[in-house]
Amino acid sequence: MSESGLPLYDREDVRAALETGSAATPRVAGVVLAGGRSSRFGDENKLLASLDGEPVVRHAASTLVDADLADTVVVLGHEAAAVRSAVTDLDARCVMNSAYERGMSTSVVRGVRAVANADAVVFLPGDMPLVASDTVGLLVSGYRAGIGTALAAAHDGRRGNPVLFGHTHFEDLRSLDGDTGGLPVLLDGTDSALVETGDPGTRRDVDTGADLDRLR
């Protein structure tokens, strides 16, 4: 059991469950949450700040694109045109969240609506540039293996991002309000779990300029 009270599985648990579970391959979509105002970062939009020569949001979008999901969506809001330009040549489609000023939940709702036909969705905040694509694949494998219908990536047993939600949670996600994202659905769910990834990027986001400097 993890510190958040959720069951904690590792790669070996997922592998073993896959061997005994369903062989069905779910259609999983990815959603990059890229609509926020970056108020703690200062005057600059943190998603457009450069890391290793590319905008932070491009790194996040590339994580989902490279995970070979069925669909990848970037939810835009603040400075939408500039964020769209940062990901324009990736194999991802952009959708607009006109209510982004009301908090992260509105981008989650917009993202769920954009992938309504998927079996599951993986949410990745646009300010998390160091998540490995293999981490996304591990969450998908965990979902396919049946270890949970709401799965969050973990590092050293501590909850991070991305988070995968099966279709059974879509209605609850569409009902979210405020600036909490999908966390209440994860923590209140009866079939939620953490998956130990060994990926430190799952807990490294960019809120301030100092955060970005630590990633460089």
Side-chain angles (χ1 to χ4, degrees), residues 2-214:
S2 68
E3 64 176 6
S4 61
L6 299 177
L8 178 65
Y9 298 91
D10 61 18
R11 289 178 181 271
E12 182 59 27
D13 295 325
V14 172
R15 185 197 64 77
L18 274 175
E19 290 181 352
T20 59
S22 170
T25 301
R27 184 177 187 277
V28 182
V31 171
V32 181
L33 301 173
R37 294 184 59 87
S38 308
S39 57
R40 293 175 57 190
F41 196 77
D43 294 335
E44 184 182 6
N45 187 336
K46 65 182 178 180
L47 300 183
L48 302 175
S50 180
L51 177 65
D52 295 335
E54 293 186 341
V56 165
V57 69
R58 184 179 177 87
H59 287 281
S62 294
T63 292
L64 295 185
V65 169
D66 292 345
D68 197 27
L69 300 174
D71 187 16
T72 299
V73 173
V74 180
V75 179
L76 307 174
H78 179 58
E79 297 188 352
V83 175
R84 184 191 298 271
S85 179
V87 301
T88 190
D89 59 333
L90 297 179
D91 187 17
R93 57 191 177 96
C94 295
V95 298
M96 182 63 191
N97 170 26
S98 59
Y100 69 90
E101 291 184 344
R102 301 207 321 255
M104 185 185 296
S105 64
T106 62
S107 288
V108 172
V109 172
R110 184 66 183 90
V112 171
R113 289 175 177 165
V115 299
N117 293 327
D119 296 313
V121 59
V122 177
F123 286 104
L124 179 63
D127 64 355
M128 298 192 71
L130 299 186
V131 176
S133 295
D134 178 66
T135 291
V136 180
L138 182 60
L139 290 181
V140 173
S141 294
Y143 177 70
R144 180 184 175 196
I147 67 171
T149 57
L151 302 174
H155 180 248
D156 288 342
R158 301 178 66 190
R159 176 179 52 82
N161 281 291
V163 181
L164 178 149
F165 293 99
H167 197 274
T168 56
H169 298 287
F170 281 16
E171 183 175 353
D172 288 336
L173 291 169
R174 286 192 292 264
S175 300
L176 290 170
D177 191 20
D179 203 31
T180 59
L183 184 58
V185 178
L186 175 73
L187 296 182
D188 294 343
T190 59
D191 195 24
S192 300
L194 304 185
V195 179
E196 176 57 54
T197 65
D199 179 1
T202 61
R203 290 188 50 82
R204 304 183 72 180
D205 61 356
V206 177
D207 282 330
T208 66
D211 291 335
L212 182 60
D213 289 340
R214 283 191 288 269

